[in-house]
Amino acid sequence: MSRETFKKIITDEETIKSINPKNKKLISLFLKNKDRKCSEATIKTYQSDLNIFFCWNVKNNENKFYPEIKKSEISDFFSFALEELKWNGKRFTKLRSVLSGLSDTVIKYYDDDFPLFRN
């Protein structure tokens, strides 16, 4: 007998379209830089993970631009991921890594606008 997989979907086309345009630009920049080093499948999972995070941001965090999101709000997202989405440790760690890479992109390309931003 196979085990049941819990699945809660928080992304949809309408919400993805309403992601802050600045965040969309940041995501695009991040994925372009990763495209040179990663497989197409990896890029696809990064996009999916970022869609989950930014759809949560639209619905629960006023659609803030990523560099303006506070640490406590990131913590709120991860609490949501554990409690509501029932993520396991591997999924949690993977998304943390993706957001860390996104933060590195902010540091690299947006340092003039956000000089105090850190990963």
Side-chain angles (χ1 to χ4, degrees):
M1 179 179 240
S2 64
R3 68 182 174 106
E4 292 288 317
T5 302
F6 178 83
K7 191 173 188 178
K8 181 175 183 177
I9 298 173
I10 66 165
T11 59
D12 57 67
E13 287 302 314
E14 186 178 319
T15 308
I16 290 170
K17 286 179 183 175
S18 67
I19 292 173
N20 184 330
K22 291 179 186 178
N23 286 328
K24 286 182 180 180
K25 184 177 177 183
L26 178 61
I27 291 167
S28 177
L29 185 59
F30 170 73
L31 293 176
K32 266 192 236 173
N33 286 322
K34 289 291 182 187
D35 193 35
R36 294 177 228 155
K37 305 173 216 164
C38 299
S39 73
E40 191 175 313
T42 301
I43 298 299
K44 187 175 178 179
T45 61
Y46 285 170
Q47 179 70 62
S48 175
D49 288 341
L50 291 169
N51 283 344
I52 292 168
F53 175 76
F54 284 108
C55 283
W56 172 87
N57 187 49
V58 168
K59 294 176 181 179
N60 300 290
N61 203 37
E62 301 170 7
N63 205 8
K64 291 183 181 177
F65 182 37
Y66 182 73
E68 296 168 347
I69 297 174
K70 297 177 181 171
K71 291 178 196 175
S72 62
E73 294 163 338
I74 298 281
S75 179
D76 288 344
F77 167 74
F78 282 109
S79 292
F80 172 82
L82 290 172
E83 295 165 10
E84 297 292 323
L85 302 178
K86 310 265 190 248
W87 283 3
N88 64 24
K90 287 183 181 182
R91 184 72 192 268
F92 183 94
T93 302
K94 186 169 85 78
L95 190 68
R96 235 176 112 199
S97 176
V98 172
L99 291 180
S100 178
L102 191 66
S103 294
D104 289 341
T105 301
V106 171
I107 291 168
K108 187 174 180 178
Y109 294 101
Y110 291 84
D111 60 329
D112 291 341
D113 299 326
F114 299 97
L116 300 178
F117 182 86
R118 60 185 199 277
N119 192 347

